[in-house]
Amino acid sequence: MSVDPNTPVLRNCIRLPLPEDELIEVTAKAKDYAIMHGAAMRSKSNFSEDSLNFAPFVLVPSSFPRKEFEKAVALQPIINRLMHNVAHDEEFITTTLAETIKVDEFTANLFNIYRKVLAHGFTQANSIGLLRSDYLGHVYEGCAIKQVEINTVASSFGGIATHLVQLQNFVLRELGHADKLPNMPHNNALAGLCDGMVKAWDIYAKPQSVILFIIEDVSYNICDQRFHEFYIRETYPHIKVLRRTLTDVHREGKLGLNKELLLSGGLEVAVIYFRAGYEPGHYHSQDEWDARYLMETSLAIKCPSIQYHLAGTKKVQQALAQPAVLERFINDPEEMKAVGKIFTGLYSLDDNEAGNASYEMALRTPEKFVLKPQREGGGNNVYGVDIPDALKRMSRVERSAWILMDLIHPPLTKGYMVRPGAEMPPTIVDMVSELGIFGVVIGDADHIIHNYQAGHMLRTKLSTANEGGVAAGLGALDSPYLIDSDDEDEN
């Protein structure tokens, strides 16, 4: 990604560069602190179940405009309610995804489960959404936040993000900057998300029932997952937590007389928390799809349910950016205005007049856009000058599986990115940060029982990198250091 030389640079938390001796010493401490406190992952290149690397992190917290952070936090309950309403609107989901499912096999398979469950009626009326709304500041609108995407499935890093605040607090104290800590917002992401699962378990109301985590065959992001599991076990020791793959569920799962989901040993599942199942590679065969269908037809409360999963597709996000569509789900004009402001331009590529116009616009000025498929997990988008070739390779019908989005231009920060195996000492790099706000919403089609904002995370990437997925190996974990508008620009 090319960076405009006039892009503003946000004022640093502390003066950089650090003296080399001090930088080497504090970086070594921070790496050990990260591993000892679980801000860690398993290595993809040298995988072992018996060892961890620290997760890539930014040494000193990156600056983020306080006003925009507070706006994102305040908006989250409204976003939660919006997504809950979208997930329960059968006509809207069906119409919005009609073209996409003709060409996107994965979305079509998910939709097929949705259609079958709808036909038989939902066994469990309640759903739990553990959501994450991701934002970048946009320099052409005074660093106002713009939504990058909304995640409705496997919204990760709540566990590690909570512990990263402590790591960066430690670094600041070591560097003699304890006075900066009040500008580091408290982060209760882990507790907020796990308490949400327990609230769903309470609604299920069977004391012997368990919470089931659906996991990948190999879990690289093991600490983040285990933080959730161990928090529940330590805080609510009467609730058992199990981990199973989709393949495991196919092998041992069955429905009881009242459609309760039963695993080996007769264990009844109250809540299913999907940390896998969001990309095609998680479904090796029809067995895994059958397992997903079995869970969706069960009495267990799903996180996410199939309708919530579909509500998180990019195609739905693109449709929601249209004011007339937003009006369908938000009644309050002030709320509608506030949510409308966070959307950037999102365009359909369907084979119709509007879609063809978007196609021509992307070919004319590709540098203004990003091309997005319906996938979660990072690494799937196409940027700028690469867009024309990608579009030209697609048929008119295939294009409808993608959406076009205005490229957001975030402000820069400067800092040290610390990665496993990288040279020491780290060098100062130009970075951009993406803020994620977690939310919890629980309810059925007619009634929301719980709705709250549940902490945050910050992912930071090199300014020249297109994507910043930490699990995908492209970004680093970070925390926001809140600054006020009168001291935002270092220039």
Side-chain angles (χ1 to χ4, degrees), residues 249-250 252-256 259-264 266 294 298:
V249 173
H250 179 261
E252 63 176 277
K254 62 180 182 183
L255 297 187
K259 294 196 174 178
E260 60 272 42
L261 179 62
L262 303 173
L263 298 177
S264 294
L294 179 80
S298 78

Side-chain angles (χ1 to χ4, degrees), residues 84 123-130 193-211 236 238-239 268-272 299-303 308 440-445 447-452:
H84 185 82
T123 307
Q124 175 56 258
N126 288 301
S127 294
I128 170 171
L130 301 185
L193 295 168
C194 293
D195 290 346
M197 284 187 250
V198 172
K199 289 179 198 297
W201 183 89
D202 286 336
I203 290 167
Y204 194 82
K206 291 197 181 177
Q208 299 306 310
S209 62
V210 303
I211 295 176
Y236 308 95
H238 56 290
I239 304 176
E268 181 173 346
V269 177
V271 178
I272 304 169
L299 192 61
I301 299 174
K302 274 73 72 178
C303 174
Y308 254 97
V440 175
V441 58
I442 307 173
D444 60 22
H447 181 56
I448 291 177
I449 305 165
H450 299 287
N451 177 14
Y452 58 92

Side-chain angles (χ1 to χ4, degrees), residues 229-351:
E229 176 186 349
F230 296 164
Y231 175 93
I232 294 170
R233 294 295 294 135
E234 289 168 2
T235 314
Y236 308 95
H238 56 290
I239 304 176
K240 194 174 177 73
V241 177
L242 303 179
R243 289 164 62 84
R244 297 286 188 275
T245 64
L246 288 165
T247 313
D248 294 334
V249 173
H250 179 261
R251 191 173 57 246
E252 63 176 277
K254 62 180 182 183
L255 297 187
L257 291 174
N258 299 310
K259 294 196 174 178
E260 60 272 42
L261 179 62
L262 303 173
L263 298 177
S264 294
L267 290 168
E268 181 173 346
V269 177
V271 178
I272 304 169
Y273 172 47
F274 285 94
R275 286 297 291 248
Y278 55 83
E279 66 176 35
H282 297 159
Y283 299 84
H284 310 302
S285 67
Q286 188 57 40
D287 288 354
E288 286 73 27
W289 285 109
D290 290 346
R292 180 71 188 264
Y293 179 64
L294 179 80
M295 289 186 280
E296 294 297 339
T297 56
S298 78
L299 192 61
I301 299 174
K302 274 73 72 178
C303 174
S305 56
I306 193 70
Q307 65 268 37
Y308 254 97
H309 193 157
L310 291 170
T313 55
K314 303 296 183 294
K315 190 67 186 167
V316 167
Q317 186 185 352
Q318 178 255 313
L320 287 174
Q322 302 166 65
V325 176
L326 201 55
E327 214 168 58
R328 178 176 180 138
F329 301 105
I330 300 179
N331 299 324
D332 184 291
E334 288 304 309
E335 288 185 355
M336 202 179 106
K337 190 172 159 190
V339 172
K341 280 182 178 172
I342 65 169
F343 291 134
T344 187
L346 293 147
Y347 313 96
S348 161
L349 288 166
D350 289 352
D351 186 15

Side-chain angles (χ1 to χ4, degrees), residues 17-34:
L18 295 171
E20 187 168 305
D21 290 353
E22 188 176 34
L23 174 61
I24 290 170
E25 184 177 351
V26 80
T27 303
K29 285 182 187 176
K31 287 178 180 181
D32 290 341
Y33 189 103

Side-chain angles (χ1 to χ4, degrees), residues 34-187:
I35 288 179
M36 291 171 67
H37 292 77
M41 303 170 79
R42 289 194 176 127
S43 168
K44 285 191 174 181
S45 57
N46 194 19
F47 178 82
S48 165
E49 287 194 349
D50 297 331
S51 65
L52 292 168
N53 283 340
F54 63 85
F57 66 91
V58 177
L59 186 64
V60 174
S62 294
S63 296
F64 200 91
R66 185 188 309 274
K67 181 168 61 97
E68 297 305 313
F69 176 85
E70 290 171 351
K71 183 200 295 182
V73 168
L75 272 175
Q76 192 57 41
I78 303 169
I79 301 281
N80 291 346
R81 193 169 68 246
L82 167 65
M83 297 313 294
H84 185 82
N85 292 342
V86 168
H88 289 91
D89 191 326
E90 176 194 344
E91 184 196 10
F92 176 71
I93 286 178
T94 303
T95 308
T96 304
L97 295 176
E99 294 304 312
T100 302
I101 61 175
K102 291 177 185 175
V103 286
D104 187 306
E105 186 184 1
F106 180 68
T107 307
N109 285 337
L110 292 172
F111 188 83
N112 196 35
I113 291 175
Y114 174 63
R115 198 174 43 76
K116 286 197 288 185
V117 175
L118 266 177
H120 295 103
F122 289 102
T123 307
Q124 175 56 258
N126 288 301
S127 294
I128 170 171
L130 301 185
L131 314 178
R132 197 185 72 223
S133 186
D134 293 338
Y135 302 96
L136 286 169
H138 191 42
V139 296
Y140 299 144
E141 293 186 26
C143 292
I145 51 167
K146 295 292 178 184
Q147 190 183 67
V148 177
E149 63 180 354
I150 180 91
N151 298 278
T152 62
V153 57
S155 304
S156 59
F157 288 116
I160 295 182
T162 300
H163 289 75
L164 202 79
V165 176
Q166 297 157 15
L167 184 155
Q168 290 179 322
N169 282 350
F170 170 77
V171 168
L172 287 175
R173 282 194 298 269
E174 289 297 295
L175 293 172
H177 289 286
D179 59 305
K180 304 289 187 181
L181 301 189
N183 292 315
M184 299 270 299
H186 177 69
N187 193 0

